[in-house]
Amino acid sequence: MTDGSAPTDAPQPAGGPGRRRAPRPGRSRWLAAGGVAVLAGVLGLTLALRAGATPACAAPPAAVPLGVAAPVAAAPPVGGTVHKGKATFYDSKGAGGNCSYPSAPANRLYVALGPTEYAAGAACGGHLDVTGPKGTVRVLVMDQCPECAPGHLDLSREAFARIADPVQGIVSVSYRAVVDPPLPGPLTFRIKEGASRYWFAVLVADHGNPLRAVEVRQGDSGGWRAAARQDYNYWLVESGAGPGPYSIRVTDVYGHRVTAGGIRLAPGQVQRGTVRMYGGGAPAGGGRPAARSASPRPSASPTPRATSPRPSPSAAPASSSPSAPDAPVVPLAAEAPAAGCGN
């Protein structure tokens, strides 16, 4: 009762209706002590939960649902594996995108990748063959699309028109990395503005495949200094590489390695070397596999990318994709047993 009145089932006089058996004194004390213990336990659990404490045998984290792929590690498309996804389009307004190229390619056939496939600049300078309802187009990776999920390609307007009607806005596609595409010429190098003998950063272009490593040394002798790839596609030696001229050794993801000499400390100027990454003009042994080494973690933030508004994928009509082999299936994460709780 909440009004303070006596309960209606109060004990009746001895011998009357509703007579109750008097509890034994010992049992009464036991019940009282037990009730206090239970009450204290409930209050303690409530306070612990409010304070954020976790019970000793908390339920294990939920397993990855069936049919949901495990998270994909950031890496550029390589090796010619066929992927399936979707494509939209945008216009870079002639700029070279997050890969910091001085301008978009003359044919205006380029693509921006989402963060997973852009991989902090590791995809820059590679090429993809993209197939849609109308055909196939080859595009240069030169930009990042921050809002794009894995498999979402943001093509240039001109590239999109090669594979689909632009009025569709978004279409299903298949795509694969191009291994050793034809090169436009020897490697080019651009020393970043602000560089000096004490701070060195270089942009390497016309390499065909994505790059794995860039090393720099002063002149034609001495030790090589590994440059760290930045997510805006420059390779940085933070403590500098000397006054120049420099030798720059470039290695791609397939093991092609070449060395270009005579690169001057001329910030802001594009300097064309005399060697190609592979094929004609590459020195002997330029295609031999090189020892793999981990690239230092990028430390700089990407430069903003100006894009035109994109059509919403949910509002665009679906389109059938061309037949192509399925991409490898990512295995599901294994569910680990909980430790301690009854195991």
Side-chain angles (χ1 to χ4, degrees):
M1 301 293 290
T2 59
D3 57 0
S5 59
T8 56
D9 61 344
Q12 302 295 320
R19 180 170 179 266
R20 295 179 180 175
R21 177 180 301 172
R24 290 177 293 179
R27 180 174 178 83
S28 177
R29 288 193 298 271
W30 181 86
L31 288 173
V36 171
V38 170
L39 179 60
V42 171
L43 290 175
L45 178 59
T46 302
L47 292 174
L49 291 176
R50 287 183 178 178
T54 303
C57 261
V64 176
L66 291 176
V68 177
V72 180
V78 295
T81 300
V82 175
H83 306 269
K84 291 184 177 181
K86 60 185 179 181
T88 51
F89 63 89
Y90 80 110
D91 188 353
S92 77
K93 307 296 185 183
N98 265 91
C99 292
S100 300
Y101 296 127
S103 63
N107 62 12
R108 295 189 59 80
L109 301 179
Y110 53 84
V111 64
L113 302 180
T116 299
E117 292 177 295
Y118 181 77
C124 287
H127 295 76
L128 302 180
D129 279 345
V130 184
T131 302
K134 287 175 55 177
T136 300
V137 64
R138 180 164 294 180
V139 290
L140 170 72
V141 178
M142 73 157 211
D143 212 348
Q144 179 175 204
C145 172
E147 66 272 25
C148 290
H152 182 173
L153 310 182
D154 207 16
L155 298 168
S156 65
R157 180 182 293 271
E158 292 81 359
F160 190 93
R162 299 277 189 96
I163 64 165
D165 187 341
V167 74
Q168 294 180 269
I170 181 170
V171 294
S172 296
V173 295
S174 63
Y175 61 99
R176 70 171 76 213
V178 183
V179 181
D180 293 354
L183 298 172
L187 293 171
T188 64
F189 303 88
R190 185 180 188 275
I191 308 298
K192 189 169 178 56
E193 294 83 352
S196 69
R197 63 185 301 167
Y198 306 109
W199 186 87
F200 180 91
V202 62
L203 172 71
V204 184
D206 292 344
H207 42 80
N209 300 312
L211 295 184
R212 177 158 54 85
V214 170
E215 301 161 284
V216 184
R217 72 182 179 190
Q218 170 68 39
D220 297 327
S221 60
W224 290 102
R225 306 192 66 178
R229 187 201 331 258
Q230 308 301 293
D231 50 12
Y232 52 90
N233 198 32
Y234 271 84
W235 293 82
L236 174 67
V237 179
E238 200 158 5
S239 59
Y246 311 103
S247 294
I248 300 180
R249 186 163 66 185
V250 181
T251 308
D252 71 15
V253 294
Y254 303 115
H256 301 303
R257 172 182 284 176
V258 295
T259 300
I263 306 302
R264 297 172 291 109
L265 180 59
Q269 298 182 20
V270 176
Q271 304 177 57
R272 185 167 293 278
T274 59
V275 294
R276 294 173 181 257
M277 197 69 214
Y278 46 82
R288 72 180 187 276
R292 295 187 177 273
S293 59
S295 299
R297 185 176 180 180
S299 59
S301 300
T303 53
R305 179 172 73 92
T307 60
S308 58
R310 298 182 182 81
S312 171
S314 60
S319 174
S320 59
S321 61
S323 59
D326 290 334
V329 177
V330 180
L332 299 180
E335 181 180 355
C341 303
N343 291 333

